[in-house]
Amino acid sequence: MKKNPRSDGDQALGFVKFLSWSSLALILLVNLFLSIFLSNYARQDVLAKQKEFALLLAENLNHQIYQRFTLPTVIGFGQVELSQPAQYDRLDKTVLSTIHSFHVSEVRIYDHDKRVSYSTDKELVGQSGYAGTAILEALDQGTSSFQLVTRAGMLGGILDFSPKPDTVTLRTIYPLRTERSLIPGNPQGFIMGVLEFTQDITEDYQKVVDFQRIIIVTSLLSSLLLFVLLRVIISRAGRINAQRIADRERLERELQQQEKLAGMGRMVAGIAHEIRNPLGIIRSTAELLLKRARDKDGDPANARLLSAIFDESKRLSKTVGDFLDYARPKAPRQDAVDLAVIYDQALTFLEGRCEELGVAVNRDYAPGLTVRGDKDLLYRAVYNVLSNAMESLAEDKEKRRAPAITVAGTATGDAVVLAITDTGPGFSPDNKDRALDPFFTTKDAGTGLGLAIVRNIVESHNAALALDNVEEGGARVTMTFPAA
């Protein structure tokens, strides 16, 4: 079973597309993973530094409270009672002077009864119910802890380019301890309460968010650039693959056509050769009898029958000649031929037919269209094209424009271009690609060898033949020859 080259090409291209899209998806996932990893690493690093700073601030605040409030209060009053305004004011001044310029928004001190014994928000003093699990652990076990509080999620933080203060805060819980006392006999190092303060780290945290934005934008841009490059590569590969498939299919069609026509040509040449001689006798005999009948004023019925025999034998003789010309093309001579002269001869021969059909002929060429070739073969090629153009105009029933044929010729440094354009219906889009195939015809009495013979003649002169339709309507046949 013969394999379809298009299916193989489609499978290969499909694999390339799958590989490209898979690579793109993999790179996107890798970039996403890297962005998450790097941003989390940067966030953890910033938080670790903030926790270290908060711990230092807590130790300093513990020290200041003990040295500047606890000891003086015990010495002066005998015990600490924050319900007394003087003690509370002393503690408040100590705390505020210590946390000044450290972005601390609130400070609380919880006693062993889990009540708020001190707060920068005086409305909370004496209140209970605010101590969470971290406060209880600090009282019982003496452990410190940190809590990150953010008002915007990860996506909200990335999209918020102007965050408000206290958007991201770090809450520190630290056991408030006594230090070594200068007074002998005092207990040392026991937990007096729990210190809780909240710092605004929005500005520092925003640096991490900016870093995340840079990573995300860089990943998206690099992925987009890679996507565009992959699309260009895939598109180019698709075009190249489609062109290769089209070329392969065209070559296979041409090879099959040549093989088929080679066998058909041998058969047709043999049959045509056997028919040609008796057909010539029939034609000449019919012509002689017809001439005698007309000279002697014979029976008109016999004259019509002889005329029909002569016309049909002449048409059949032309058909046999076309078969032989196509099946056994002869090698062209290499003489210097002016195609302008060929044009003039063909148009002169067809002048009567043009007048009969009312076809106007526009000449747009001048002498000097010289090529190397066979004058007789070139004449036949031009004549066949002009004859086809006139037949197309004669069969055109719509006649949207006045029937006309434009014959043009131009010579450049390395090529001579002949163009024959008519105002007929033009080539049918469905049949345009098959118009040059042998034995293909849309005419009732045609052999389908006219344009095929023209192509053989043109290609034997190392020239190119092209069929097109003009925008205004009509067909154009272009022959491009190498200049002499």
Side-chain angles (χ1 to χ4, degrees):
M1 182 176 178
K2 184 177 178 181
K3 295 181 67 177
N4 187 2
R6 183 175 294 276
S7 62
D8 294 340
D10 291 340
Q11 291 178 0
L13 183 59
F15 177 74
V16 172
K17 289 183 178 180
F18 171 77
L19 184 62
S20 302
W21 284 107
S22 301
S23 302
L24 179 61
L26 179 62
I27 293 173
L28 284 174
L29 291 176
V30 171
N31 284 339
L32 181 61
F33 173 77
L34 287 177
S35 62
I36 294 174
F37 174 77
L38 293 175
S39 59
N40 285 336
Y41 180 81
R43 185 186 299 109
Q44 295 300 328
D45 185 62
V46 170
L47 290 178
K49 292 182 179 180
Q50 289 293 333
K51 289 178 181 179
E52 292 177 1
F53 178 77
L55 188 60
L56 290 176
L57 179 59
E59 292 175 353
N60 183 41
L61 194 56
N62 186 107
H63 176 74
Q64 295 296 330
I65 290 174
Y66 182 76
Q67 293 292 334
R68 295 171 55 188
F69 170 74
T70 304
L71 287 179
T73 299
V74 171
I75 293 173
F77 294 93
Q79 63 180 355
V80 176
E81 293 183 4
L82 293 178
S83 58
Q84 297 183 17
Q87 292 188 23
Y88 188 91
D89 291 341
R90 178 187 290 271
L91 177 59
D92 190 50
K93 290 179 181 180
T94 302
V95 171
L96 292 178
S97 63
T98 304
I99 66 174
H100 178 67
S101 73
F102 286 107
H103 301 290
V104 177
S105 57
E106 184 182 5
V107 177
R108 298 178 190 175
I109 296 178
Y110 294 87
D111 57 20
H112 285 275
D113 294 328
K114 291 87 175 177
R115 291 180 302 177
V116 179
S117 60
Y118 169 80
S119 175
T120 51
D121 184 2
K122 295 183 180 181
E123 295 182 358
L124 299 178
V125 176
Q127 299 290 329
S128 59
Y130 291 94
T133 305
I135 301 296
L136 299 179
E137 291 179 354
L139 286 172
D140 296 338
Q141 304 175 13
T143 57
S144 302
S145 61
F146 304 91
Q147 296 177 357
L148 181 67
V149 180
T150 176
R151 297 180 182 177
M154 181 180 297
L155 184 60
I158 293 175
L159 298 179
D160 188 3
F161 291 90
S162 299
K164 296 179 180 180
D166 292 331
T167 300
V168 182
T169 57
L170 180 65
R171 183 176 299 162
T172 303
I173 293 96
Y174 184 82
L176 191 62
R177 297 176 179 271
T178 60
E179 296 180 349
R180 182 178 297 275
S181 175
L182 298 177
I183 302 175
N186 274 4
Q188 302 175 8
F190 69 89
I191 298 175
M192 298 184 295
V194 177
L195 179 65
E196 177 188 271
F197 60 90
T198 303
Q199 288 178 279
D200 181 11
I201 62 171
T202 303
E203 184 176 351
D204 293 331
Y205 195 82
Q206 192 64 25
K207 295 178 181 178
V208 178
V209 175
D210 292 338
F211 181 66
Q212 284 182 301
R213 291 171 182 156
I214 293 174
I215 294 176
I216 293 173
V217 171
T218 303
S219 299
L220 289 177
L221 290 178
S222 61
S223 300
L224 180 61
L225 178 61
L226 180 62
F227 174 75
V228 172
L229 290 176
L230 287 176
R231 289 295 299 172
V232 171
I233 294 173
I234 292 173
S235 299
R236 182 174 178 81
R239 290 194 299 269
I240 294 175
N241 187 65
Q243 183 63 37
R244 287 180 178 176
I245 293 174
D247 292 342
R248 185 187 302 175
E249 291 179 346
R250 178 178 55 81
L251 291 175
E252 288 184 354
R253 285 197 304 269
E254 291 179 355
L255 181 60
Q256 293 173 0
Q257 187 72 6
Q258 289 175 1
E259 291 176 353
K260 179 177 68 176
L261 293 178
M264 186 182 298
R266 288 190 294 268
M267 179 187 68
V268 169
I271 295 175
H273 182 73
E274 295 297 328
I275 294 176
R276 193 172 194 178
N277 290 334
L279 183 61
I281 296 174
I282 294 173
R283 177 181 175 183
S284 59
T285 302
E287 184 179 10
L288 178 61
L289 293 175
L290 179 61
K291 185 176 180 181
R292 289 180 179 179
R294 287 175 179 175
D295 292 342
K296 296 181 179 181
D297 296 328
D299 187 1
N302 291 335
R304 285 195 300 271
L305 291 175
L306 291 173
S307 178
I309 293 173
F310 174 71
D311 292 338
E312 291 303 316
S313 61
K314 183 170 65 172
R315 184 179 65 81
L316 187 57
S317 178
K318 180 180 181 302
T319 301
V320 171
D322 289 341
F323 283 151
L324 289 174
D325 289 339
Y326 183 78
R328 294 185 300 187
K330 65 176 183 177
R333 298 191 303 271
Q334 296 297 317
D335 301 329
V337 180
D338 189 349
L339 295 177
V341 177
I342 302 294
Y343 265 159
D344 290 335
Q345 292 176 350
L347 291 174
T348 300
F349 187 81
L350 294 171
E351 186 175 352
R353 179 65 171 163
C354 291
E355 293 179 357
E356 179 183 347
L357 296 175
V359 177
V361 178
N362 303 316
R363 305 189 184 207
D364 184 16
Y365 60 90
L369 306 177
T370 305
V371 298
R372 306 292 298 184
D374 191 308
K375 181 179 179 181
D376 295 335
L377 292 178
L378 293 174
Y379 174 83
R380 182 166 188 184
V382 172
Y383 178 84
N384 280 353
V385 175
L386 289 171
S387 179
N388 283 345
M390 283 196 298
E391 290 178 3
S392 176
L393 292 172
E395 296 173 359
D396 185 15
K397 298 179 180 180
E398 296 183 4
K399 296 188 183 298
R400 291 169 293 182
R401 293 194 297 163
I405 296 177
T406 301
V407 182
T410 57
T412 59
D414 55 354
V416 175
V417 180
L418 302 183
I420 299 175
T421 307
D422 62 59
T423 58
F427 295 103
S428 171
D430 298 332
N431 300 329
K432 180 182 175 183
D433 295 336
R434 303 176 58 194
L436 294 175
D437 292 344
F439 308 111
F440 174 79
T441 181
T442 58
K443 302 173 185 178
D444 295 336
T447 62
L449 291 173
L451 287 177
I453 292 174
V454 172
R455 183 176 68 173
N456 283 350
I457 294 174
V458 171
E459 291 180 351
S460 67
H461 287 77
N462 297 321
L465 179 67
L467 308 181
D468 297 297
N469 287 324
V470 295
E471 295 181 359
E472 299 81 4
R476 177 187 291 117
V477 179
T478 304
M479 294 175 279
T480 304
F481 296 86

